Amino acid sequence: MIEVLVVDDDLRVARVNTAYVEKVPGFRVAGVAHNAADALEQLEKLPRVDLVLLDHYLPDDTGLMVVQEMRRRGHQTDVIMVTAARDVSTVQAAMRQGALQYLVKPFAFAGLRAKLEAYAELRRTLDGGGEAEQAEVDRIFGALSAGGEPDLPKGHSATTTEVVRRALMTAEGPLSAQEIADRTGLSRQTAQRYLKLLERTGRARLTLKYGDAGRPEHRYEWATRP
């Protein structure tokens, strides 16, 4: 499990973000803090924190100060800024201080889910270790930038995309277009069209299943499964 510290001064927002995190498979909230001092204290006390979801506007200091102090104390914990701060100077400072992502409030669950799924994919890539060729380096640096909903071409529905995504996410293994159609009530042709879209945008992974004769069956699985 990826252990997350949620930091937000608004108690309601902190509860919502906590609920969002807990809905994403592979993630668990290790603690919640409502100011900078408490965030730093919990980083010292909690057994493990892999990721901090960090608001910038805190009552006793800024989120960027928290990041600076974390690094000064030797904490290399990953940070995703989750804040209403939209000015370019703050975004730039967050990037320079090592924030992996920056999510602007307000946002829906899908926005945070995409960032967390991309973060999980990045961790899996880095945990592989070894040396990296250029293609692998590009994949590592691109892992988080892919953490958004795919751009939908004309004629594609966000609602249908979400239906297919959920079917893939909840499946125990790769599924064919017909199996997606059976689970969702979509036609096979529609399921195939959306599966190809998700595969082209890197959100789904294509595998081939070879039978005794004929063409191999195309099967798909969610590419960022924790």
Side-chain angles (χ1 to χ4, degrees):
M1 298 292 285
I2 295 173
E3 302 286 349
V4 181
L5 174 63
V6 175
V7 182
D8 200 294
D9 67 317
D10 187 315
L11 272 65
R12 184 188 62 82
V13 172
R15 286 195 297 269
V16 169
N17 289 350
T18 296
Y20 281 175
V21 171
E22 296 282 5
K23 287 172 65 177
V24 181
F27 288 83
R28 178 168 56 203
V29 174
V32 179
H34 302 296
N35 57 60
D38 189 21
L40 292 168
E41 183 179 358
Q42 292 205 45
L43 280 169
E44 299 287 350
K45 290 184 175 181
L46 289 170
R48 191 179 101 233
V49 176
D50 301 305
L51 176 67
V52 180
L53 294 185
L54 182 61
D55 189 14
H56 181 59
Y57 297 123
L58 300 172
D60 52 344
D61 223 314
T62 67
L64 292 181
M65 186 286 300
V66 173
V67 178
Q68 292 173 5
E69 185 62 18
M70 284 170 55
R71 303 306 183 225
R72 190 188 70 79
R73 297 185 185 186
H75 294 292
Q76 299 305 314
T77 309
D78 294 324
V79 175
I80 294 179
M81 299 296 293
V82 181
T83 177
R86 298 168 179 262
D87 57 288
V88 173
S89 61
T90 300
V91 176
Q92 186 180 53
M95 178 180 65
R96 288 177 173 172
Q97 292 175 27
L100 292 178
Q101 264 289 9
Y102 199 104
L103 185 59
V104 177
K105 297 177 180 177
F107 54 86
F109 169 59
L112 180 58
R113 181 198 65 222
K115 296 291 189 274
L116 294 179
E117 289 174 350
Y119 174 72
E121 175 68 13
L122 176 66
R123 283 178 63 94
R124 282 193 296 276
T125 300
L126 296 178
D127 288 347
E131 296 184 350
E133 300 295 337
Q134 184 63 53
E136 183 70 4
V137 172
D138 291 343
R139 194 162 82 89
I140 292 171
F141 275 86
L144 280 170
S145 64
E149 295 302 302
D151 293 329
L152 297 180
K154 186 176 180 180
H156 287 74
S157 160
T159 301
T160 305
T161 303
E162 175 65 9
V163 168
V164 175
R165 186 198 74 83
R166 286 186 178 275
L168 290 175
M169 282 288 291
T170 56
E172 295 182 357
L175 298 175
S176 67
Q178 186 58 58
E179 288 170 329
I180 289 287
D182 293 341
R183 291 182 178 215
T184 61
L186 300 171
S187 70
R188 183 189 179 284
Q189 291 77 11
T190 298
Q192 184 68 57
R193 189 157 57 97
Y194 280 83
L195 286 167
K196 287 182 176 179
L197 169 67
L198 293 173
E199 192 265 330
R200 285 198 308 270
T201 55
R203 308 291 281 172
R205 184 181 298 112
L206 171 64
T207 58
L208 299 178
K209 181 181 179 181
Y210 291 89
D212 295 334
R215 294 182 179 180
E217 182 182 41
H218 288 204
R219 300 180 69 81
Y220 298 84
E221 63 181 338
W222 191 243
T224 57
R225 184 184 303 279

